[in-house]
Structure formats: structure tokens, C-alpha cells
Amino acid sequence: MQVGPLKPSLAETLRTDYQAYTLPNGNQRDAFLADHADDITAIVVSGVTRVEPDLLAALPNLKAVVNFGVGYDNIDVDAAAARGIGVSNTPDVLDDCVADTAVGLLIDTMRRFSAADRYARAGRWAADGSYPLTQQVSGSHVGILGLGRIGGAIATRLRAFGCPISYHNRRQLPDSPYRYLGSPVELAREVRVLVVAAAGGSGTRHLVDRAVLDALGPDGYLVNIARGSVVDQDALVDALVHGRLAGAGLDVFADEPNIPSELTALDNVVLLPHVGSGTVQTRAAMEALVLQNLDGFLRSGRLVTPVADQPS
Ligand code: 8YV
């Protein structure tokens, strides 16, 4: 059963090749579940759809939740595990695109390319003269919060820019070539740019709080390609509005798709509508991995990339 919106080609495949149901919204839902709940063994969702314990409880034969996306903070994994329901995601295949997005955001934020583009389009080059000088990216000390697969891909790219890399992670990684710092505040204090690449969920909620932003300071930049929940957005807005942070590049927000008006009013932030993995190639790879998981489950009861097998 499809739950919530999916990539159109995936929804079409589910309908035509798997005869999948689509969970209706609103007042049709109860009648639908009364008729079909017993038939459903697997559901397919994307990151924008929350899978709450009450949906799991309403599907007595559910055994698999197949998620389109690497992050699975939209799913109550503990409630699923307690019911013997496996959960899969789409790791690895989007690392490169999300890392590209992080580096693009970082460069855009420090060099203010989007703002300079607005300046050029508004005719201000001719009217007001040269665009103000910005900040050099190459050689800037970058801190990565969450050195998982995506964080690692970001670090690899930034090494080519001559950027010293430090990181904070729940665990220090013994083979990492990068400098480990014991807390987000210590990391923020050391670096010019803090890139958030930690998974979302209750364990990382507001890991970047006011203290971390103040440690980053008025010359510091924040880039977030992970989840809006990892950053205290009110504290971020306050720091940006009052000049306690130099700028921010954000692909994710606390309450997507809503962006606070204070942020859209600022010229020193770059705002993207959660496009980190949004390329034709990567979304096709994610779609293929979703179907591999579904097929693995339907054929043998085994998900190909269960979240339980991945470092949390
Ligand atoms: C998707 C993501 O946009 O993989 C993730 O965790 O955030 C993105 O790749 C998201 O899953 C929405 O489908």
C-alpha cells in the first residue's frame, strides 16, 4: 500500500506491477481500512509522510515499511520493531548528490552567489557599482556534525578545496583522518563553517542550539542538509537577525514546507526547498532501491537495506 505522496513513476509502478492500494485521506480512511487492512503486508512511504504507531496498529499483517529516503525520522521505528515490522531506507545511493548540495550551499552562502545574482538581475551592477567583497571558501576550516556516509562525502569534497576538516560524532571514528572534537560547541568554536549532516530524530533534536551558534560566532556560517529538527530554528533566526552569525545555507527546515519570513527577508542566507537528493539520477537510484526492498520482502521476507543493519 502506498501511504502519502510518492515519486509519480514509483506510484505508477506500485499501482500497475504490484496492484498496490493507496491509503485514502480523511473520512474515507476508516472505511478503506475496515475493508482492506488485513490484506496489507507492506507499505511504501517517503520522508514527507509520518508513519505513526496508530497506522501500524491498524494494519495487523503489516511486516514491512519501505521508505523512499535515507532519513527515517518520519517513522516510529521502535513501535515498528515492537510489532515485528521491518523498516528499510535508501542509504548510499544519494550520498554524492546530498554532498554536492552541501558544498554548493556552502559556496553560495560564503560567496553570496545567489545574492549577487539578485543584484545583477536588479540592474544594480550598473546602478550601484561592483558587488561587495565576500568570504573565501578554499582553506576555510569546516566542521562536520555527523560524519556518516553523507558527512564523509562532504569532507572528501572539501579536502579538495584545501579546507581543514574537523568533526563531531556520537562516536570518534578510529580511522578518520579528520580531527575529532568532543561536543558540538567545541567543534563550532574551532571552525568557520559548521555543516550539519547528522540524522534527524529525537536523539539529535536541537543539537545545534543557541550555545553552538554563539560558539560559531559572528564570522561563522551554518550549513544544514540534514534535518531541520537538528537545529533550533528559533535560535538560528535570532542569531541571523541580530548579526551573531555571518550567514546560513539551509536545505531543510523545522516545519517544511514552511520557511519563517525572517529568513526569506535576509540576504545572507541561501534557502533551498529540500532538494539535497533531488536529481533525476539519484531519485531514480532511490526508486530502484525502494523496489529492490519491496521485492526482497515480497519474495523472501527480507528487506535489502533494513535500517536495523545500519549504524544508527
Ligand atoms: C528526500 C531525504 O527528499 O533521503 C532523505 O532522507 O531527505 C531526501 O532524499 C526525502 O526522503 C523525501 O522523499
Side-chain angles (χ1 to χ4, degrees), residues 23-65:
L23 182 66
N25 284 320
N27 50 16
Q28 293 172 344
R29 185 172 282 201
D30 288 348
F32 170 86
L33 288 173
D35 287 344
H36 302 295
D38 289 352
D39 306 341
I40 292 153
T41 56
I43 62 176
V44 181
V45 294
S46 87
V48 298
T49 303
R50 295 204 66 77
V51 178
E52 308 286 3
D54 62 341
L55 179 63
L56 303 178
L59 301 171
N61 295 317
L62 186 69
K63 285 285 164 278
V65 177

Short mmCIF file of all heavy atoms in Angstrom, two decimals, residues 23-65:
data_model
loop_
_atom_site.label_atom_id
_atom_site.label_comp_id
_atom_site.label_asym_id
_atom_site.label_seq_id
_atom_site.Cartn_x
_atom_site.Cartn_y
_atom_site.Cartn_z
N LEU A 23 -3.52 4.44 0.43
CA LEU A 23 -4.29 4.77 1.64
C LEU A 23 -5.02 6.10 1.43
O LEU A 23 -4.38 7.13 1.20
CB LEU A 23 -3.35 4.88 2.84
CG LEU A 23 -4.03 5.19 4.19
CD1 LEU A 23 -4.93 4.03 4.63
CD2 LEU A 23 -2.99 5.48 5.27
N PRO A 24 -6.35 6.08 1.50
CA PRO A 24 -7.06 7.36 1.31
C PRO A 24 -6.90 8.27 2.51
O PRO A 24 -6.59 7.81 3.62
CB PRO A 24 -8.54 6.94 1.17
CG PRO A 24 -8.59 5.47 1.33
CD PRO A 24 -7.26 4.97 1.77
N ASN A 25 -7.12 9.55 2.27
CA ASN A 25 -7.08 10.51 3.37
C ASN A 25 -8.49 10.74 3.90
O ASN A 25 -9.47 10.35 3.28
CB ASN A 25 -6.54 11.85 2.85
CG ASN A 25 -5.04 11.78 2.67
OD1 ASN A 25 -4.34 11.18 3.49
ND2 ASN A 25 -4.55 12.35 1.58
N GLY A 26 -8.55 11.41 5.02
CA GLY A 26 -9.82 11.93 5.54
C GLY A 26 -10.81 10.85 5.91
O GLY A 26 -10.43 9.77 6.37
N ASN A 27 -12.10 11.15 5.64
CA ASN A 27 -13.13 10.26 6.17
C ASN A 27 -13.29 8.96 5.39
O ASN A 27 -14.03 8.07 5.79
CB ASN A 27 -14.48 11.00 6.31
CG ASN A 27 -14.84 11.72 5.04
OD1 ASN A 27 -14.27 11.42 3.98
ND2 ASN A 27 -15.77 12.67 5.12
N GLN A 28 -12.57 8.82 4.27
CA GLN A 28 -12.63 7.53 3.55
C GLN A 28 -11.69 6.50 4.18
O GLN A 28 -11.76 5.31 3.87
CB GLN A 28 -12.19 7.72 2.09
CG GLN A 28 -13.17 8.56 1.29
CD GLN A 28 -12.60 8.87 -0.08
OE1 GLN A 28 -11.40 8.71 -0.33
NE2 GLN A 28 -13.46 9.30 -0.97
N ARG A 29 -10.79 6.98 5.04
CA ARG A 29 -9.74 6.09 5.53
C ARG A 29 -10.29 4.93 6.37
O ARG A 29 -9.92 3.77 6.17
CB ARG A 29 -8.71 6.90 6.32
CG ARG A 29 -7.53 6.08 6.76
CD ARG A 29 -6.43 6.92 7.37
NE ARG A 29 -5.64 7.60 6.37
CZ ARG A 29 -4.41 8.06 6.58
NH1 ARG A 29 -3.83 7.91 7.75
NH2 ARG A 29 -3.76 8.67 5.63
N ASP A 30 -11.20 5.24 7.28
CA ASP A 30 -11.71 4.19 8.18
C ASP A 30 -12.42 3.10 7.39
O ASP A 30 -12.22 1.90 7.65
CB ASP A 30 -12.64 4.80 9.22
CG ASP A 30 -11.87 5.60 10.25
OD1 ASP A 30 -10.63 5.48 10.27
OD2 ASP A 30 -12.50 6.35 11.03
N ALA A 31 -13.25 3.52 6.42
CA ALA A 31 -13.99 2.52 5.62
C ALA A 31 -13.02 1.67 4.81
O ALA A 31 -13.16 0.44 4.72
CB ALA A 31 -14.97 3.23 4.70
N PHE A 32 -11.97 2.34 4.27
CA PHE A 32 -10.96 1.61 3.49
C PHE A 32 -10.26 0.57 4.38
O PHE A 32 -10.10 -0.60 4.00
CB PHE A 32 -9.94 2.59 2.90
CG PHE A 32 -8.75 1.91 2.30
CD1 PHE A 32 -8.76 1.46 1.00
CD2 PHE A 32 -7.60 1.69 3.07
CE1 PHE A 32 -7.67 0.80 0.45
CE2 PHE A 32 -6.51 1.03 2.54
CZ PHE A 32 -6.54 0.59 1.22
N LEU A 33 -9.86 1.00 5.56
CA LEU A 33 -9.14 0.08 6.45
C LEU A 33 -10.04 -1.05 6.91
O LEU A 33 -9.59 -2.21 7.05
CB LEU A 33 -8.55 0.85 7.64
CG LEU A 33 -7.35 1.76 7.30
CD1 LEU A 33 -6.96 2.61 8.51
CD2 LEU A 33 -6.16 0.93 6.82
N ALA A 34 -11.32 -0.77 7.13
CA ALA A 34 -12.25 -1.83 7.55
C ALA A 34 -12.30 -2.92 6.47
O ALA A 34 -12.36 -4.11 6.77
CB ALA A 34 -13.64 -1.25 7.79
N ASP A 35 -12.21 -2.52 5.19
CA ASP A 35 -12.29 -3.49 4.09
C ASP A 35 -10.96 -4.17 3.80
O ASP A 35 -10.93 -5.34 3.42
CB ASP A 35 -12.74 -2.79 2.80
CG ASP A 35 -14.21 -2.44 2.83
OD1 ASP A 35 -14.92 -2.98 3.69
OD2 ASP A 35 -14.63 -1.59 2.02
N HIS A 36 -9.83 -3.41 3.92
CA HIS A 36 -8.57 -3.91 3.35
C HIS A 36 -7.41 -4.09 4.34
O HIS A 36 -6.37 -4.62 3.94
CB HIS A 36 -8.09 -2.96 2.25
CG HIS A 36 -9.09 -2.80 1.14
ND1 HIS A 36 -9.45 -3.83 0.31
CD2 HIS A 36 -9.81 -1.72 0.75
CE1 HIS A 36 -10.35 -3.39 -0.56
NE2 HIS A 36 -10.59 -2.12 -0.30
N ALA A 37 -7.56 -3.65 5.57
CA ALA A 37 -6.41 -3.64 6.49
C ALA A 37 -5.73 -5.02 6.57
O ALA A 37 -4.49 -5.10 6.58
CB ALA A 37 -6.85 -3.20 7.88
N ASP A 38 -6.50 -6.09 6.56
CA ASP A 38 -5.92 -7.43 6.71
C ASP A 38 -5.04 -7.84 5.52
O ASP A 38 -4.18 -8.72 5.66
CB ASP A 38 -7.03 -8.48 6.86
CG ASP A 38 -7.72 -8.36 8.21
OD1 ASP A 38 -7.23 -7.58 9.06
OD2 ASP A 38 -8.74 -9.03 8.40
N ASP A 39 -5.28 -7.22 4.35
CA ASP A 39 -4.54 -7.63 3.14
C ASP A 39 -3.14 -7.05 3.09
O ASP A 39 -2.32 -7.50 2.29
CB ASP A 39 -5.24 -7.11 1.87
CG ASP A 39 -6.69 -7.52 1.79
OD1 ASP A 39 -7.06 -8.47 2.49
OD2 ASP A 39 -7.44 -6.86 1.04
N ILE A 40 -2.90 -6.03 3.88
CA ILE A 40 -1.68 -5.24 3.64
C ILE A 40 -0.51 -5.77 4.46
O ILE A 40 -0.56 -5.84 5.69
CB ILE A 40 -1.97 -3.76 3.97
CG1 ILE A 40 -2.96 -3.23 2.92
CG2 ILE A 40 -0.69 -2.92 3.97
CD1 ILE A 40 -3.79 -2.10 3.39
N THR A 41 0.55 -6.16 3.73
CA THR A 41 1.75 -6.70 4.39
C THR A 41 2.92 -5.72 4.32
O THR A 41 3.86 -5.83 5.09
CB THR A 41 2.16 -8.04 3.76
OG1 THR A 41 2.35 -7.84 2.36
CG2 THR A 41 1.10 -9.11 3.99
N ALA A 42 2.86 -4.81 3.34
CA ALA A 42 3.98 -3.84 3.20
C ALA A 42 3.41 -2.48 2.83
O ALA A 42 2.42 -2.39 2.10
CB ALA A 42 4.94 -4.31 2.10
N ILE A 43 4.03 -1.42 3.34
CA ILE A 43 3.67 -0.07 2.91
C ILE A 43 4.92 0.63 2.38
O ILE A 43 6.04 0.32 2.79
CB ILE A 43 3.00 0.77 4.02
CG1 ILE A 43 3.93 1.00 5.21
CG2 ILE A 43 1.69 0.13 4.48
CD1 ILE A 43 3.33 1.93 6.29
N VAL A 44 4.69 1.53 1.43
CA VAL A 44 5.78 2.33 0.86
C VAL A 44 5.46 3.80 1.14
O VAL A 44 4.34 4.25 0.87
CB VAL A 44 5.91 2.09 -0.67
CG1 VAL A 44 7.06 2.92 -1.24
CG2 VAL A 44 6.13 0.61 -0.96
N VAL A 45 6.43 4.50 1.70
CA VAL A 45 6.25 5.90 2.07
C VAL A 45 7.48 6.70 1.64
O VAL A 45 8.52 6.13 1.35
CB VAL A 45 6.08 6.10 3.60
CG1 VAL A 45 4.82 5.47 4.10
CG2 VAL A 45 7.30 5.60 4.35
N SER A 46 7.34 8.03 1.67
CA SER A 46 8.53 8.86 1.51
C SER A 46 8.70 9.69 2.77
O SER A 46 7.84 9.70 3.65
CB SER A 46 8.41 9.78 0.29
OG SER A 46 7.76 10.98 0.66
N GLY A 47 9.82 10.40 2.81
CA GLY A 47 10.18 11.16 4.02
C GLY A 47 9.16 12.21 4.43
O GLY A 47 9.14 12.64 5.58
N VAL A 48 8.30 12.63 3.52
CA VAL A 48 7.35 13.69 3.87
C VAL A 48 6.12 13.14 4.61
O VAL A 48 5.29 13.92 5.06
CB VAL A 48 6.87 14.49 2.63
CG1 VAL A 48 8.05 15.19 1.96
CG2 VAL A 48 6.13 13.61 1.64
N THR A 49 6.02 11.82 4.72
CA THR A 49 4.84 11.22 5.35
C THR A 49 5.20 10.58 6.68
O THR A 49 6.11 9.74 6.73
CB THR A 49 4.24 10.14 4.41
OG1 THR A 49 3.95 10.75 3.16
CG2 THR A 49 2.97 9.54 5.01
N ARG A 50 4.52 10.97 7.72
CA ARG A 50 4.78 10.38 9.03
C ARG A 50 4.05 9.04 9.14
O ARG A 50 2.88 8.93 8.77
CB ARG A 50 4.31 11.31 10.14
CG ARG A 50 5.07 12.63 10.21
CD ARG A 50 5.00 13.24 11.59
NE ARG A 50 5.71 12.41 12.56
CZ ARG A 50 7.05 12.38 12.68
NH1 ARG A 50 7.81 13.14 11.93
NH2 ARG A 50 7.63 11.61 13.57
N VAL A 51 4.76 8.04 9.66
CA VAL A 51 4.13 6.74 9.92
C VAL A 51 4.03 6.61 11.43
O VAL A 51 5.00 6.32 12.12
CB VAL A 51 4.96 5.58 9.31
CG1 VAL A 51 4.31 4.25 9.63
CG2 VAL A 51 5.09 5.78 7.80
N GLU A 52 2.83 6.86 11.94
CA GLU A 52 2.61 6.89 13.39
C GLU A 52 2.22 5.49 13.88
O GLU A 52 1.73 4.66 13.11
CB GLU A 52 1.47 7.86 13.72
CG GLU A 52 1.62 9.24 13.15
CD GLU A 52 2.66 10.10 13.86
OE1 GLU A 52 3.32 9.58 14.79
OE2 GLU A 52 2.82 11.27 13.48
N PRO A 53 2.40 5.26 15.19
CA PRO A 53 2.04 3.94 15.74
C PRO A 53 0.59 3.55 15.45
O PRO A 53 0.30 2.36 15.28
CB PRO A 53 2.27 4.11 17.24
CG PRO A 53 3.30 5.18 17.34
CD PRO A 53 3.06 6.11 16.19
N ASP A 54 -0.34 4.53 15.36
CA ASP A 54 -1.75 4.12 15.15
C ASP A 54 -1.96 3.52 13.77
O ASP A 54 -2.80 2.63 13.60
CB ASP A 54 -2.72 5.28 15.43
CG ASP A 54 -2.51 6.46 14.50
OD1 ASP A 54 -1.42 6.55 13.90
OD2 ASP A 54 -3.43 7.28 14.39
N LEU A 55 -1.17 3.95 12.77
CA LEU A 55 -1.30 3.31 11.45
C LEU A 55 -0.75 1.88 11.52
O LEU A 55 -1.37 0.95 10.98
CB LEU A 55 -0.56 4.11 10.37
CG LEU A 55 -0.62 3.49 8.98
CD1 LEU A 55 -2.07 3.42 8.45
CD2 LEU A 55 0.25 4.25 7.98
N LEU A 56 0.37 1.70 12.20
CA LEU A 56 0.95 0.35 12.34
C LEU A 56 -0.06 -0.56 13.05
O LEU A 56 -0.26 -1.72 12.66
CB LEU A 56 2.26 0.40 13.14
CG LEU A 56 3.35 1.33 12.58
CD1 LEU A 56 4.57 1.33 13.49
CD2 LEU A 56 3.76 0.90 11.16
N ALA A 57 -0.72 -0.02 14.07
CA ALA A 57 -1.68 -0.81 14.84
C ALA A 57 -2.91 -1.17 14.02
O ALA A 57 -3.55 -2.20 14.25
CB ALA A 57 -2.08 -0.04 16.10
N ALA A 58 -3.22 -0.32 13.04
CA ALA A 58 -4.43 -0.56 12.22
C ALA A 58 -4.20 -1.61 11.13
O ALA A 58 -5.15 -2.01 10.46
CB ALA A 58 -4.88 0.75 11.58
N LEU A 59 -2.94 -2.04 10.96
CA LEU A 59 -2.62 -2.99 9.89
C LEU A 59 -2.06 -4.27 10.52
O LEU A 59 -0.85 -4.41 10.69
CB LEU A 59 -1.59 -2.36 8.93
CG LEU A 59 -2.04 -1.04 8.26
CD1 LEU A 59 -0.88 -0.38 7.52
CD2 LEU A 59 -3.22 -1.28 7.32
N PRO A 60 -2.92 -5.22 10.86
CA PRO A 60 -2.49 -6.36 11.68
C PRO A 60 -1.46 -7.27 11.01
O PRO A 60 -0.68 -7.94 11.70
CB PRO A 60 -3.79 -7.13 11.95
CG PRO A 60 -4.76 -6.65 10.93
CD PRO A 60 -4.36 -5.24 10.58
N ASN A 61 -1.44 -7.28 9.67
CA ASN A 61 -0.49 -8.18 8.97
C ASN A 61 0.70 -7.44 8.37
O ASN A 61 1.46 -8.02 7.59
CB ASN A 61 -1.24 -8.97 7.88
CG ASN A 61 -2.27 -9.89 8.52
OD1 ASN A 61 -1.98 -10.53 9.54
ND2 ASN A 61 -3.48 -9.90 7.99
N LEU A 62 0.86 -6.18 8.75
CA LEU A 62 1.98 -5.40 8.22
C LEU A 62 3.30 -5.97 8.73
O LEU A 62 3.46 -6.22 9.92
CB LEU A 62 1.84 -3.93 8.65
CG LEU A 62 2.88 -2.98 8.04
CD1 LEU A 62 2.63 -2.81 6.54
CD2 LEU A 62 2.84 -1.63 8.74
N LYS A 63 4.24 -6.16 7.79
CA LYS A 63 5.56 -6.67 8.17
C LYS A 63 6.71 -5.82 7.63
O LYS A 63 7.86 -6.05 7.99
CB LYS A 63 5.73 -8.12 7.66
CG LYS A 63 4.94 -9.14 8.48
CD LYS A 63 5.64 -9.40 9.82
CE LYS A 63 4.77 -10.09 10.85
NZ LYS A 63 3.87 -9.19 11.59
N ALA A 64 6.40 -4.86 6.74
CA ALA A 64 7.49 -4.05 6.19
C ALA A 64 7.04 -2.62 5.91
O ALA A 64 5.97 -2.40 5.36
CB ALA A 64 8.00 -4.67 4.88
N VAL A 65 7.90 -1.68 6.30
CA VAL A 65 7.72 -0.27 5.92
C VAL A 65 8.93 0.09 5.04
O VAL A 65 10.07 0.05 5.51
CB VAL A 65 7.67 0.65 7.15
CG1 VAL A 65 7.56 2.12 6.72
CG2 VAL A 65 6.50 0.28 8.06
#
